[in-house]
Amino acid sequence: MRPDLSRALATAGHLLLLGLLLASVGHAQDAFVPASTNVGGAEYPRVSEDGRVQFRLEAPEATAVRANYWSGPKEDMERDAEGVWTVTAPAVAPGLHYYTFIVDGVEFADPSSRSFYGGSRYVSAVEVPEPGVDYYAVRDVPHGQVREVWYDSDVTGSWRHAFVYVPPGYDADLDTRYPVLYLQHGGGEDETGWVRQGNVNFILDNLIEAGEAEPMLVVMASGYARRADAADEPPPANRWEGLQRMFSVFEDDVTQELIPFVDETFRTIPDREHRAMAGLSMGGMQTFHTTLNHLDLFSYIGGFSGAAIPGGANGLDLATAYGGVFADPDAFADRVNLLWIGIGTDEPEGMYAGVNGVHTALAEAGIDHVYYESPGTDHEWQTWRRSLHDFAPRLFR
Amino acid sequence: MRPDLSRALATAGHLLLLGLLLASVGHAQDAFVPASTNVGGAEYPRVSEDGRVQFRLEAPEATAVRANYWSGPKEDMERDAEGVWTVTAPAVAPGLHYYTFIVDGVEFADPSSRSFYGGSRYVSAVEVPEPGVDYYAVRDVPHGQVREVWYDSDVTGSWRHAFVYVPPGYDADLDTRYPVLYLQHGGGEDETGWVRQGNVNFILDNLIEAGEAEPMLVVMASGYARRADAADEPPPANRWEGLQRMFSVFEDDVTQELIPFVDETFRTIPDREHRAMAGLSMGGMQTFHTTLNHLDLFSYIGGFSGAAIPGGANGLDLATAYGGVFADPDAFADRVNLLWIGIGTDEPEGMYAGVNGVHTALAEAGIDHVYYESPGTDHEWQTWRRSLHDFAPRLFR
């Protein structure tokens, strides 16, 4: 008897082995190469050294197809005789760019690209290399691990999910204890973002190997939190009340559940001098909210494209915000080892003005802090990779 | 000065916080509830207890929309006056079902669903609960961790990526060493599949807590491998040569790079009596290929919907296959602690015939093995969750 696995293989329509094996031809003849974010073997999108991207979609029956950068150009694509739509989009900044296709009015992820969780959905993104820059690349250096953990939260009444980066050598010397950076994603993203989109593990591997950052743990938890008894609460009266409520649940979850879990599960140095928190966009606001209400727990603070939460419609009053922590600049400087704020120069005007305004207000009030601007980048991951790359070396020294 | 972060927030088009906060209304009035695989807050797809799924897509300009289960019904959707397309698809088996929408001939992932890597792309999947079954659910038991690791492979000349499940308590008692199961994904999927689609970590957590499986490590590596000097090789002459070549590189990578890395990095029991390998579909064939050529390294073997590799077009000859390892049934039984083969009863005819044929051939030849059939499931994750749930308790006892 001859088991017919060849037939079985032939019927496995999704077994694209041969394609993977054969799709390895170079393209030295032009300047465009397949993006590193493509799924295995996909030839498109293709990127050029100067940041242009060629998109492609086969859609013979469609009447209009557009390549749609979320932060950047939206380009009508052109149909050829076979129904293949293509376009070469104008140059964008280096880094990871979310995009979709819009086909006859419907917005979808590109089947040829890896998908990432952003904008509260799975969306395509294309990596545009930054020439000469490799601090977020997987290089030939020792690599830490990223550990997926679950912790049981009484605050939310649920098992919650987080990722923890441990530096190279964590399992080699069992007497060493480490400081901890809590690092938050933005709104519409989740706890996978800093690894998948941000390359946080490679950034830390590279900084640590170069001696430019202390070996540390990085904890990335979900920023969304809902109280165990939320069903009994009245709905928030407005957007601000809703935000404040979520930030308050997040604050309780971090301080009452996550930190004790991390300190119990990992070899941390469990004190405020060895604990930092940072976050991007919404995560930056959550960082300010959580750390400035708990300076007994944190002494390093980072806001990447998101910082203070204004007091509802009335803005931020430094004399009273966060229990008056900013009222005495000298006392603040004694207590807080680092207050770091960053923004991309090409972010939307309101965001730039907001974060830059926090910086200006702090400077005018004489509050010691670091202010960073990422040149030529928008509200996007390249801004936050650069922010982390500037922020992390300042920690725990 | 009042930094205007309210304006910043308002311009953050993807900051969908309020939607998340408010999208918590129940639907007790009917039997359909949002699928657990939906992205945060998404109301569709919705599943019923009997396995029917309601799909929904807003596409006012489209002329034809279809909900397309990869293994299952393909349903034309109906447009309402506002351009919203819906359909209630006939009941499918419990488990995770890949699907897409086909809009005017273009196949896309559903923006409302989580995406998973399958079929060499990111695709939607809907989880249809199995009533009364919770062996793959996140339950109130101690949880292990899933660790993302990188290892430097001379075989492939690249940094390779894998996930390692460590059981609950791994970091608590540093004197305990563990047996290891190497567990492979299928063709078109990748090393994320067993965690994201298969819930391997929850299956092991639950089995271990119940005392039904030994605490073990589970290593999930990429099944795709290409030799460092592949560019110098001639292209494979045909599909079988291509497959054999990839399987051979994979075999070398596992035996020469991955196993030494795992034994060095984790507290394993590094001998054949405490090392198992299993895989699904292509991964099952790779398992047979790797283990039966290395019985010095492995003593437990599992093929889930994929087992022996036929010898090209000529099928499997048990007298000569894998260096004649099956030629002496008594010697085989002495050497191999477990040979396990499984298949879903609703898999495509060729696949069922192939795996069932291996079972029949082994039985006729007097080779001791376990044969399992998953009732009513196709070439899909529910078959492989059930396979693992039957296989894992038989290991290392």
Side-chain angles (χ1 to χ4, degrees):
Chain A
M1 94 119 255
R2 303 180 182 282
D4 189 0
L5 268 169
S6 59
R7 217 172 120 211
L9 270 173
T11 59
H14 64 271
L15 192 67
L16 301 177
L17 287 176
L18 209 57
L20 285 171
L21 287 165
L22 299 176
S24 57
V25 188
H27 293 274
Q29 71 276 19
D30 62 35
F32 286 87
V33 297
S36 63
T37 30
N38 292 359
V39 294
E43 288 290 307
Y44 285 84
R46 293 151 62 87
V47 298
S48 74
E49 280 193 7
D50 61 359
R52 287 173 300 149
V53 177
Q54 293 177 329
F55 296 99
R56 180 187 189 279
L57 182 73
E58 198 175 329
E61 300 168 38
T63 53
V65 180
R66 167 172 286 194
N68 175 53
Y69 280 121
W70 282 7
S71 300
K74 290 96 170 65
E75 296 292 314
D76 290 331
M77 296 172 72
E78 279 190 31
R79 187 189 194 283
D80 72 9
E82 280 72 46
V84 174
W85 300 72
T86 53
V87 71
T88 301
V92 291
L96 189 76
H97 295 271
Y98 291 134
Y99 74 97
T100 47
F101 287 136
I102 300 177
V103 178
D104 294 349
V106 185
E107 187 180 359
F108 284 113
D110 180 354
S112 294
S113 170
R114 288 169 59 200
S115 286
F116 302 85
Y117 193 67
S120 301
R121 57 190 288 186
Y122 283 80
V123 63
S124 303
V126 58
E127 182 76 56
V128 174
E130 182 157 3
V133 169
D134 66 354
Y135 69 85
Y136 53 89
V138 53
R139 284 166 39 200
D140 193 17
V141 301
H143 293 293
Q145 297 178 357
V146 176
R147 300 184 174 178
E148 188 170 4
V149 299
W150 289 261
Y151 65 99
D152 190 7
S153 170
D154 288 338
V155 168
T156 63
S158 60
W159 283 95
R160 285 172 64 80
H161 183 237
F163 294 90
V164 180
Y165 167 85
V166 303
Y170 180 83
D171 282 334
D173 176 2
L174 299 179
D175 293 325
T176 305
R177 303 186 72 90
Y178 296 86
V180 185
L181 165 63
Y182 290 80
L183 187 61
Q184 288 302 126
H185 62 83
E189 293 165 349
D190 68 12
E191 64 272 26
T192 64
W194 268 108
V195 174
R196 296 281 157 259
Q197 287 100 305
N199 295 18
V200 57
N201 47 319
F202 300 133
I203 293 174
L204 266 293
D205 290 345
N206 293 331
L207 283 173
I208 291 168
E209 172 67 9
E212 292 172 13
E214 294 294 315
M216 67 183 82
L217 306 182
V218 183
V219 177
M220 295 153 280
S222 170
Y224 309 112
R226 199 161 165 274
R227 225 169 271 286
D229 58 1
D232 303 331
E233 293 176 351
N238 54 50
R239 183 190 183 88
W240 293 112
E241 193 180 308
L243 263 182
Q244 291 282 352
R245 189 183 291 182
M246 193 177 82
F247 285 11
S248 160
V249 186
F250 173 79
E251 169 195 350
D252 288 352
D253 188 68
V254 168
T255 56
Q256 297 169 27
E257 308 284 353
L258 181 61
I259 290 176
F261 168 80
V262 168
D263 286 337
E264 187 180 286
T265 308
F266 295 88
R267 297 196 316 280
T268 64
I269 308 173
D271 62 34
R272 68 181 298 282
E273 294 295 322
H274 299 89
R275 196 177 291 121
M277 188 170 186
L280 71 91
S281 195
M282 177 185 86
M285 292 182 255
Q286 290 178 305
T287 294
F288 268 58
H289 177 86
T290 302
T291 57
L292 292 175
N293 286 318
H294 294 274
L295 287 180
D296 55 316
L297 295 175
F298 297 94
S299 64
Y300 297 85
I301 303 167
F304 306 170
S305 308
I309 311 166
N314 298 320
L316 175 68
D317 179 350
L318 283 182
T320 59
Y322 306 111
V325 72
F326 292 122
D328 180 342
D330 291 336
F332 187 84
D334 281 348
R335 194 142 175 77
V336 175
N337 293 324
L338 176 65
L339 180 66
W340 191 106
I341 299 170
I343 187 81
T345 60
D346 282 10
E347 299 212 23
E349 191 187 351
M351 289 193 180
Y352 181 86
V355 172
N356 180 272
V358 172
H359 155 58
T360 306
L362 291 171
E364 285 174 0
I367 310 286
D368 198 23
H369 68 286
V370 172
Y371 176 65
Y372 168 79
E373 290 195 349
S374 166
T377 59
D378 202 337
H379 201 67
E380 61 187 341
W381 278 98
Q382 202 71 348
T383 302
W384 307 321
R385 291 170 175 166
R386 290 178 181 172
S387 295
L388 180 67
H389 187 241
D390 186 274
F391 177 74
R394 302 173 187 269
L395 300 178
F396 314 126
R397 300 258 183 177
Chain B
M1 99 118 254
R2 302 178 181 287
D4 189 1
L5 268 167
S6 61
R7 219 173 119 209
L9 270 171
T11 60
H14 64 271
L15 192 68
L16 300 177
L17 288 174
L18 207 59
L20 287 170
L21 287 165
L22 300 176
S24 56
V25 188
H27 293 273
Q29 70 276 20
D30 63 34
F32 286 87
V33 297
S36 64
T37 30
N38 293 359
V39 292
E43 288 291 305
Y44 286 84
R46 293 149 62 86
V47 299
S48 74
E49 280 193 8
D50 61 359
R52 287 173 301 149
V53 177
Q54 294 176 329
F55 296 99
R56 180 187 188 281
L57 183 73
E58 198 174 327
E61 299 167 36
T63 54
V65 180
R66 168 173 284 195
N68 174 53
Y69 280 121
W70 281 8
S71 302
K74 289 95 168 68
E75 296 291 315
D76 290 329
M77 296 171 72
E78 279 190 30
R79 186 190 194 284
D80 72 9
E82 280 72 46
V84 174
W85 300 73
T86 54
V87 72
T88 300
V92 291
L96 189 76
H97 295 271
Y98 291 132
Y99 75 97
T100 46
F101 288 135
I102 300 177
V103 179
D104 294 349
V106 185
E107 188 180 359
F108 283 114
D110 180 355
S112 294
S113 170
R114 287 169 59 198
S115 286
F116 301 85
Y117 194 67
S120 300
R121 57 190 287 186
Y122 284 79
V123 63
S124 303
V126 57
E127 182 75 56
V128 174
E130 182 156 6
V133 170
D134 66 355
Y135 69 84
Y136 53 89
V138 53
R139 284 166 40 200
D140 193 18
V141 302
H143 293 292
Q145 296 178 358
V146 177
R147 301 184 175 179
E148 189 169 4
V149 299
W150 288 261
Y151 64 101
D152 190 8
S153 172
D154 288 339
V155 168
T156 64
S158 61
W159 282 96
R160 284 172 64 80
H161 183 235
F163 294 91
V164 180
Y165 166 84
V166 303
Y170 180 83
D171 282 333
D173 176 1
L174 299 178
D175 293 327
T176 304
R177 303 186 72 89
Y178 296 85
V180 185
L181 165 62
Y182 290 80
L183 188 61
Q184 288 302 125
H185 62 83
E189 293 165 350
D190 69 11
E191 64 272 25
T192 64
W194 269 107
V195 173
R196 296 282 158 257
Q197 287 99 307
N199 295 17
V200 57
N201 48 318
F202 300 134
I203 293 174
L204 267 292
D205 289 344
N206 293 330
L207 284 172
I208 290 168
E209 172 66 9
E212 292 172 14
E214 294 294 316
M216 67 182 82
L217 306 183
V218 183
V219 177
M220 295 153 280
S222 170
Y224 309 111
R226 199 162 165 275
R227 226 170 272 285
D229 58 0
D232 303 332
E233 295 176 350
N238 54 48
R239 181 186 185 90
W240 293 113
E241 194 180 308
L243 262 182
Q244 293 280 354
R245 189 182 292 183
M246 193 177 81
F247 285 12
S248 159
V249 186
F250 174 79
E251 169 196 350
D252 288 351
D253 188 69
V254 168
T255 58
Q256 297 168 27
E257 308 283 355
L258 181 61
I259 290 176
F261 168 80
V262 168
D263 286 339
E264 188 180 286
T265 308
F266 295 90
R267 298 196 315 279
T268 65
I269 308 173
D271 62 33
R272 69 180 299 280
E273 294 295 323
H274 298 89
R275 196 178 290 123
M277 188 171 185
L280 71 92
S281 194
M282 176 185 87
M285 292 181 257
Q286 291 178 304
T287 294
F288 268 59
H289 176 86
T290 302
T291 58
L292 293 173
N293 286 318
H294 294 275
L295 288 179
D296 55 317
L297 295 175
F298 297 93
S299 64
Y300 297 86
I301 303 167
F304 306 170
S305 308
I309 310 167
N314 298 321
L316 176 69
D317 179 353
L318 283 182
T320 58
Y322 305 110
V325 71
F326 293 122
D328 180 342
D330 291 335
F332 187 85
D334 281 347
R335 193 137 175 81
V336 175
N337 294 324
L338 176 65
L339 180 66
W340 192 104
I341 299 170
I343 187 83
T345 60
D346 281 11
E347 299 211 23
E349 191 187 352
M351 289 192 180
Y352 181 87
V355 172
N356 181 272
V358 172
H359 155 60
T360 306
L362 290 170
E364 284 173 359
I367 309 286
D368 198 23
H369 68 286
V370 173
Y371 177 66
Y372 168 81
E373 291 195 347
S374 166
T377 59
D378 202 337
H379 201 66
E380 61 187 341
W381 277 98
Q382 201 72 348
T383 301
W384 306 322
R385 290 170 175 168
R386 289 177 181 172
S387 295
L388 180 67
H389 187 241
D390 186 273
F391 178 74
R394 301 173 187 270
L395 300 178
F396 315 125
R397 301 258 184 178

